[in-house]
């Protein structure tokens, strides 16, 4: 992966985002189209194909959601610990999870001040990322 910055920190996995997602959603649409045109002799198999397509959509969604939720919890713990090491105090309680996740890209030098500013001004995650001067990359995020 190239050097991360505000403009290049999003990560796309081509086979997941550009092949698997469209294929599953095409299967979903095609299966319902097939069910609509099903005759009595193939209604059962057309229904099963629809069920499989719905299950695949749910799996596709929740595999990503569960992984991100686990990473979000780890990031919150890491950034809480990093802030405590740098300042001797916990992160401001006013910070929302999305703000903490955005703050992980801030260097140690600017992290405590930016965390205080983000809490005080209720900054959004894009606003926080845009205000980071010395970007600390995160290559582990999925």
């Amino acid at each position: 992966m190239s050097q991360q910055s505000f403009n290049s920190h999003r990560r796309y996995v081509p086979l997941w985002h550009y092949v698997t997602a469209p294929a599953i959603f095409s299967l979903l649409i095609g299966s319902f189209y097939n069910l609509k045109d099903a005759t009595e002799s193939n209604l059962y198999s057309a229904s099963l194909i629809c069920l499989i397509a719905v299950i695949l959509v749910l799996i596709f969604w929740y595999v990503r959601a569960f992984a991100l939720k686990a990473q979000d919890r780890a990031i919150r713990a890491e950034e809480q610990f990093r802030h405590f090491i740098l300042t001797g105090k916990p992160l401001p309680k006013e910070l929302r999870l999305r703000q903490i996740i955005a703050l992980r890209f801030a260097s140690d030098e600017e992290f405590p001040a930016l965390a205080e500013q983000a809490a005080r001004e209720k900054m959004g995650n894009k606003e926080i990322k845009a205000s980071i001067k010395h970007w600390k990359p995160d290559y582990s995020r999925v």
Side-chain angles (χ1 to χ4, degrees), residues 41-103:
S41 65
N42 68 348
L43 183 62
Y44 180 72
S45 60
S47 299
L48 285 179
I49 293 170
C50 284
L51 179 61
I52 291 168
V54 168
I55 290 168
L56 283 174
V57 167
L58 292 172
I59 289 171
F60 180 82
W61 178 264
Y62 282 109
V63 160
R64 180 94 172 128
F66 292 157
L68 288 178
K69 182 64 88 175
Q71 285 187 335
D72 291 349
R73 290 182 60 147
I75 290 168
R76 180 179 33 218
E78 289 169 358
E79 297 311 307
Q80 185 73 260
F81 185 58
R82 180 165 78 129
H83 190 272
F84 186 80
I85 287 174
L86 294 171
T87 66
K89 301 183 295 187
L91 277 169
K93 295 203 184 302
E94 300 81 22
L95 286 175
R96 296 180 316 275
L97 180 59
R98 290 281 137 216
Q99 291 173 304
I100 295 169
I101 291 169
L103 284 165

